[in-house]
Amino acid sequence: ASGEAAAAVEAEEGGAGAEAAAILSPAPSGREPATPSFSSPDHDADPDGTAAAAARMALDDVAPVPGTDRYFVPLRLACESKLPRIMEVSLHCIQKIIAYGYVRGKVAGEKPFVDVVMETICSCKDEEDKEVQLQIVQAVNTAVTSAVTAVHDTTLLLAVKTCFYIYLVSKNGTIQKTANATLTQMLDVVFARLESPGASSMAQKDAFLVFRSLCKLSMKPLPEPLPADDSIELRSKLLSLQLLYSIIASSGERFRGGEKFVWAIRQYLCLSLLKNGVSPIPAILQLSLDIFVTLIKYFKAHLKSEIGVFFSNILLRILESSNSSGPQKRLTIQALRVLVAEPQLMVDLFLNYDCDLEGKGIFTSMCDGLSRLTLTLQALSETTEQDAQLKQLALETLVAIADSMVAWERDVKAEGAGAAVTPVGQRPPSIADSSSVSMVGPEPSPVHRGGGEAAGEAGQSPGGGEAGGEVTAVVASRESVDFEAMFHRKHEVHEGVIKFNMKPKRGIRYLREVCGLEDTPQAVARFLRETDGLDKRAVGDYLGEGEDFCKQVLYAYVDSIDFANLTFDQALRRFLTHFWLPGEAQKIDRMMEKFAERYCSQNEGVFANADTAYVLAYSLIMLNTDAHSSQIKKKMTQQEFVNMNRGINDSGDLPTPFLESLYQAITTNEIKIKEMMEHERRAAAASNDAARTSRSKLFNLESAIMVKESQELFKAKARKRAVYHSSRNVEHARPMFEACWCALLASWSTIMEERYDDAVPVELVALVMRGFANAVHIAAEFGMATERDAFVTMLAKYTYLDSGKTMGGRNIEAFKTILSLALTDGDHLGGAWAQVLKCLSEFQRLHMIGTGAKTDASIFFPAARAGANGAAGLPPPGAPGLVSPPSGRLTARQQSILIQPARVRNSSKDAEVEAVNSATMVDSVDVVAIDRIFSGSAQLNADAIVEFVTHLCAVSREELDAAGDPQVYSLQKIVEVAYYNMSRVRLVWARIWEVLSEFFAEVGQHPNLSIAMYAVDSLRQLATKFLEREELLNYQFQREFLKPFQDLMGAAKSVEVRDLILVCLGHMVQSRARSIRSGWSSLFGVLSLAAADPLSSVAKAGFDLARDTVREHFALIGDHHAEGVSCIAGYLRQRPHVDIALSAAHCLADYAKLLHAAAAADGATGAAAGGAARGA
């Protein structure tokens, strides 16, 4: 065990010094990056360096305690004796010497005394006695954590290595726990010194060396096959990752903002995460994901590119891969679940990646990937139970996304945030160190210009490398960065890519017109090279076109590729890596001609002229096809290839070894484009998916490709800088929801589908319903009508209220969610009110079935009417007072005469299903909540109440038009809603009444007489209530309110309806005459229409009402006497009804006397009306 542990930790530490035994292997990436210089202290704490230098030298310059070195000699000899009992006592004594502060200063040879002591202690690490190991750990811990003893640099690494070594080789659980705790304590002290005020450069260097050592140790590859759980290699990796997580999670401001430590994270920790983030061992993957999540929280402003690469190339590809195991997917989803639980962090991810014109949309891809997991019918893991757990976890994560969006939107609105981006130094809630920083970036591609990215000057990495850089803080305003426009622009570019893949020329034209792609060959060539998602066949076809512009694009494309110092086959591979050669010979000819010219210009002397390169390129393409095509049975030999290319070098021969090397390179390694290699890899994965053993091997191959691609992206992005944004602008929630709503709707809908029975856990159904409610809230809050209506429509569908299907617990929850949305988000439901009110109508029908209440059939069908009236003692339909006002508590009589809706079904099966559903609804739904929706309509804003009333009228029309089975539930609710909202300001009420008056005028002409009369009586009730409100002079609200009576009187074909209108007006005149002002106009208009009625009964009733009005309420008519006189005169002109005409003449004479008397009393009042009477 000792030898095996030594192999794991005995490698030399690069750049740390020859005296220290290293605990890490050399950097696996090849050349070790230069270590940052720590010769200068922290300039913020000590600009001139004097204080730090003094602190650094303080302990070393202290003279040693006299005699300490003499007493130490026998202790050192005892440690070298290899006798456990003696070594234990000696180590205990050394620990006491250190603890009491006797180990300080320097000894002979100018070597620090503490270094000699630590070397003596650590030299005992190979002793297997547990007491000795325990004393070693205690002594090392005492030395490192002592405030007197200065353990730095290589000696500190030696101490860490020793404890690490003992942890690995010890078989005793207590020793392992002690060593682990000691390591944690020592690291806490080291990094606490870093965060202390005035920390010296030595403290920075100590922290850097320890951090780098742990990163390199965590990158050590595990042997194949995978080691056992108690193996030293696995335990070493796990411990190093645990310590790294502890460092990152507990780090302070100096570590998080220190340029050198950010550089170390980029160089070492990110590479470690790449390699361990694809590990098939759950414990390693869990720790790697924990570290990654912590990095996002604390270092996102510095690691924007690295986070994007890890997200898109590791996490999301684990979710998408058919070869990743169930535990890998589960741990990945759990990590995403932790991330999306932070609202501000989730918004920042969207702004910085999904709105980045040159980056991959992390937030959108995450939502799409999770949604696909919930929808797939393929096996995700080894067992069906694991599949169900994965799908549930994915659903929970998607709901958490909606939760965070709502929480963020409400928090920002509560703050009244006016700034678009959080200034540097101001932390958004629940996110540490969230700021807005700028890092320099290259010029964006032509199609992406104008995106609003800030720019600055590039900084240099601490060690002269390409990664890292000086961060410049900026405060971005809403006007400088329009994230929504950038998001839509990115979507437009994506659409352009799709069009290009279908028709290249059409796609380029779209990109020019819509996306702003510059109309230059260089811009188009750059777009073809740098844009992800392009079909390589389409790129090849476009580059091979014979048009002048396409040729210029081809030339610019080839000139942008660097072939310097490459062999000919390497150059050809690089050239053909990014597009697929077209099938036409002329296109290939143009491409090879330009390739040959470019290669020869950058590699002079290789060939006599470009013609040689042109011919040889053609030969290599032919050889590649010949050697790797399964359809060609007889392969070209090496000699045949050499002979074929004789005399092509300006009539001379190329060297035979050169041609033979080209032949071997092509035949042993096929020229492939990246897209072809990806396609073959996935095809191989699909063909071997059934075998679990091969599945794990395939994921190992896949993960190796993922890590390699990610490393390449790290290098490519190392030179780039970008702006990191942290937004508190609530409007940014709109594009976020626009990006994910389809994925959310598709995934949540799976729970409600018929293929799932009611065995779905109640908690999961409640979770999904919360997701629906959050989605509707966001869509409604930001006026996203399409998205809002889609979610509400799906909720209404899943209630099964009008589907003929048996309802279950999920359907009840869907209906309750609709009720909740109506109560909480009514102001923003808009057109979705139609679905909500339809559900309420259907629920009321089922509720009546479940409670056995009387149905509308007993009112609207003559056969049932008599029985119903005789049994219940109801007044005949259309009689005044059929419906009572909904204000206050209804009396027993009022409750007994309320008409309840019901629907007749066509089959016994429908009736059975509805009987079951009605019983379920009665037991599960509280009708009080439904009543609150209508009573709460008075709290809706002006636009919302108009929408509400409009859709309520539409639902009522649908109910009333049901052939043979009309219902008046919504009509009743219209009357209630009108009562509740009658006290609104006049302008709002005018908008409401504009809708209602049209509705009543239409329903009053319904072919079913009972319905028509019911509508008229409802209109009478509203008018009576409205007339209680006093109208000021010169206003016309009453006239508009009573106008439906006038419209109905002229249009109604039913005598009963016309009679009822007159009865209703008579009742209003008797009870509300003193409140009538402008309403006299409409009243006399109705009576004038009655005068022209062909039926004497209607005319007689109208005349009686007009006569009584004039006689009894003459003084209240006011400025409307002219209309009254005109009305009476209308009856005078009734030739078919002589009796009525004569009575009208007498009435008109009496009216004239009243007007004359009034004129005499009031002067000129009524003169004009009297003249009109005499003329009549």
Side-chain angles (χ1 to χ4, degrees), residues 780-806:
E781 193 72 23
F782 292 98
M784 306 172 73
T786 301
E787 294 83 351
R788 175 201 64 209
D789 293 348
F791 279 94
V792 175
T793 300
M794 293 304 290
L795 271 177
K797 171 188 172 183
Y798 293 137
T799 61
Y800 286 4
L801 281 169
D802 193 29
S803 64
K805 302 173 184 177
T806 304

Side-chain angles (χ1 to χ4, degrees), residues 870-882:
L874 297 179
L882 180 63

Side-chain angles (χ1 to χ4, degrees), residues 412-662:
V412 174
K413 283 190 173 181
E415 295 171 3
V421 180
T422 304
V424 174
Q426 176 183 346
R427 299 184 184 179
S430 76
I431 299 294
D433 290 335
S434 180
S435 57
S436 178
V437 300
S438 170
M439 294 186 289
V440 180
E443 181 185 4
S445 62
V447 75
H448 294 149
R449 286 176 181 168
E453 294 288 346
E457 295 184 359
Q460 299 297 323
S461 66
E466 296 173 345
E470 192 170 317
V471 177
T472 305
V474 300
V475 179
S477 66
R478 180 174 181 177
E479 290 72 24
S480 64
V481 183
D482 189 344
F483 291 104
E484 188 167 0
M486 292 170 65
F487 172 75
H488 289 133
R489 185 178 181 83
K490 185 173 182 178
H491 178 73
E492 290 169 352
V493 172
H494 179 68
E495 290 293 324
V497 169
I498 295 176
K499 292 180 181 295
F500 178 87
N501 292 340
M502 298 174 64
K503 296 286 185 179
K505 292 182 180 178
R506 184 181 301 174
I508 293 296
R509 183 167 62 251
Y510 173 87
L511 289 164
R512 289 173 183 165
E513 297 172 354
V514 178
C515 305
L517 177 64
E518 294 182 11
D519 192 12
T520 63
Q522 292 75 19
V524 176
R526 185 178 180 186
F527 170 79
L528 297 179
R529 283 203 64 197
E530 298 180 358
T531 304
D532 294 332
L534 293 177
D535 187 341
K536 305 309 178 184
R537 292 182 178 85
V539 174
D541 288 338
Y542 185 82
L543 292 175
E545 291 290 340
E547 298 178 5
D548 290 341
F549 185 80
C550 293
K551 289 181 181 179
Q552 294 175 10
V553 173
L554 172 64
Y555 298 160
Y557 186 93
V558 178
D559 288 340
S560 66
I561 305 176
D562 184 15
F563 298 131
N565 301 319
L566 295 179
T567 63
F568 191 72
D569 68 295
Q570 291 174 343
L572 186 61
R573 289 179 192 277
R574 176 173 292 185
F575 178 57
L576 298 178
T577 296
H578 301 288
F579 66 90
W580 203 299
L581 272 179
E584 298 181 24
Q586 292 180 346
K587 294 183 178 181
I588 298 176
D589 181 79
R590 283 189 286 270
M591 292 179 171
M592 293 301 102
E593 183 180 3
K594 178 58 183 176
F595 164 74
E597 183 271 333
R598 174 69 172 171
Y599 182 81
C600 291
S601 66
Q602 290 191 296
N603 298 274
E604 297 180 358
V606 176
F607 301 112
N609 51 47
D611 289 339
T612 304
Y614 167 76
V615 175
L616 187 58
Y618 249 116
S619 298
L620 290 182
I621 292 174
M622 294 172 59
L623 176 62
N624 188 73
T625 304
D626 178 271
H628 300 286
S629 175
S630 59
Q631 298 178 355
I632 300 177
K633 303 303 180 183
K634 185 178 179 181
K635 305 295 183 180
M636 184 186 300
T637 64
Q638 178 173 296
Q639 189 59 44
E640 289 174 341
F641 176 76
V642 173
N643 294 336
M644 182 176 67
N645 290 284
R646 294 188 184 278
I648 65 172
N649 193 25
D650 197 14
S651 300
D653 292 341
L654 291 170
T656 299
F658 173 72
L659 293 176
E660 290 176 347
S661 65
L662 291 179

Side-chain angles (χ1 to χ4, degrees), residues 659-670:
L659 293 176
E660 290 176 347
S661 65
L662 291 179
Y663 178 89
Q664 294 297 327
I666 298 299
T667 55
T668 56
N669 186 11
E670 181 183 3

